[in-house]
Amino acid sequence: HTQPIAWLARGRRGAPAYLSLTRGDGGQNLIGNELGEALGVIRTEELLAARRIDGAHQYFDRGYDFGFSKTADETRKHWPQDSLLNDVMTVMRAFKPHIVITTFSGTPRDGHGQHQISAIVARDAYRLAADTVRFPVKDFGAPWTPLKFYSRVSTQERTLAINVGEYDPYLGVSYQEIAADSRSQHKSQGECTLRRKGGVWDYLTREDTRVPAPPLQDERAIVAGVDAPKLTLQDCRQRVSHALIVV
């Protein structure tokens, strides 16, 4: 899921962050014998290596990857939802994203129960980020109000298409090529990805907006509606600079 990250960080000079609920402790290892916590260390370093290439900041939650789960309810038996939400809220308040993007839908079609929970918790954090009663300032930091919420989807469900294959003449590569190099850092999962030439599309659907954004069928940019007319140019740059991607 490095394509929108590379596009935002390298192509739009934004400041995206990637929040992983786990460190991949429960997965398989294609490059060695390390499993469990030792594998979590390897995958942590792989994530950090990927971010050095695509330009995003990396955050971690404290969810333990206990292996594959088929449903969100199964995952809830192992993951205390309040603890996860508290961690995501801490990141939300500290990073102050203007846009939140979920990698998954939060529905059974995600397959993996942990993937479902990542989207569910992200929606809750987006909705409750300004709630200082449930999340007091002394424990979670100053309240924050993200402005837009997106999830990554298939072609048919999209409300916004991003050409991550766009070529950057200053960098000499496309954003997909940067994303491919970033994703290829996940060697323990065998995620080596080929660079591709030409148009490569990534699709989002807008689930919520707190600003007067265009109708879904007319939206052409992820920051549409975020720029307020009365802001200075510097203010606008600051306001559209942060996006939080949750997986």
Side-chain angles (χ1 to χ4, degrees):
H1 312 297
T2 53
Q3 292 185 164
I5 296 176
W7 179 82
L8 283 165
R10 304 303 189 189
R12 296 302 177 267
R13 305 301 186 265
Y18 186 92
L19 171 59
S20 177
L21 297 192
T22 79
R23 294 176 185 263
D25 321 67
Q28 297 177 335
N29 185 359
L30 300 181
I31 60 173
N33 297 322
E34 297 86 354
L35 295 174
E37 292 180 357
L39 176 58
V41 173
I42 291 173
R43 291 193 172 185
T44 295
E45 292 300 325
E46 290 175 341
L47 279 163
L48 294 174
R51 298 294 80 79
R52 287 192 288 271
I53 292 173
D54 60 40
H57 188 81
Q58 177 69 49
Y59 286 103
F60 294 97
D61 204 322
R62 292 178 292 176
Y64 181 71
D65 182 2
F66 54 85
F68 185 81
S69 59
K70 296 181 179 179
T71 66
D73 287 339
E74 183 182 354
T75 300
R76 288 189 179 100
K77 295 177 182 178
H78 300 273
W79 283 358
Q81 295 302 288
D82 287 346
S83 298
L84 284 175
L85 181 56
N86 288 348
D87 286 349
V88 175
M89 188 60 71
T90 300
V91 172
M92 188 83 74
R93 295 267 182 94
F95 185 66
K96 296 179 171 56
H98 303 100
I99 298 165
V100 177
I101 304 171
T102 60
T103 305
F104 299 100
S105 68
T107 66
R109 72 182 180 189
D110 295 331
H112 200 323
Q114 294 182 22
H115 294 169
Q116 295 179 48
I117 290 296
S118 72
I120 293 170
V121 172
R123 286 192 184 93
D124 289 343
Y126 172 85
R127 178 171 53 87
L128 299 169
D131 187 341
T132 56
V133 176
R134 183 171 174 180
F135 303 98
V137 173
K138 65 181 182 65
D139 297 322
F140 297 93
W144 179 252
T145 304
L147 302 179
K148 301 177 82 176
F149 188 96
Y150 290 86
S151 60
R152 296 187 73 221
V153 293
S154 63
T155 308
Q156 294 79 8
E157 301 169 298
R158 69 179 174 93
T159 62
L160 185 64
I162 299 170
N163 182 14
V164 295
E166 179 185 349
Y167 179 78
D168 190 315
Y170 298 101
L171 299 176
V173 291
S174 73
Y175 307 121
Q176 188 281 333
E177 291 177 291
I178 296 172
D181 291 349
S182 173
R183 188 178 178 88
S184 294
Q185 300 307 303
H186 297 278
K187 296 177 175 62
S188 66
Q189 299 182 69
E191 293 291 346
C192 295
T193 303
L194 294 176
R195 288 182 166 195
R196 296 168 58 187
K197 301 292 185 182
V200 180
W201 296 89
D202 211 84
Y203 302 106
L204 301 174
T205 185
R206 192 182 79 204
E207 294 191 15
D208 188 71
T209 179
R210 293 183 169 120
V211 292
L216 290 177
Q217 66 272 18
D218 298 329
E219 189 170 50
R220 296 293 181 268
I222 194 171
V223 295
V226 173
D227 290 336
K230 295 181 181 180
L231 295 178
T232 65
L233 178 59
Q234 182 62 31
D235 289 334
C236 289
R237 286 172 177 162
Q238 292 297 321
R239 285 184 62 83
V240 302
S241 65
H242 290 72
L244 180 66
I245 295 124
V246 183
V247 59

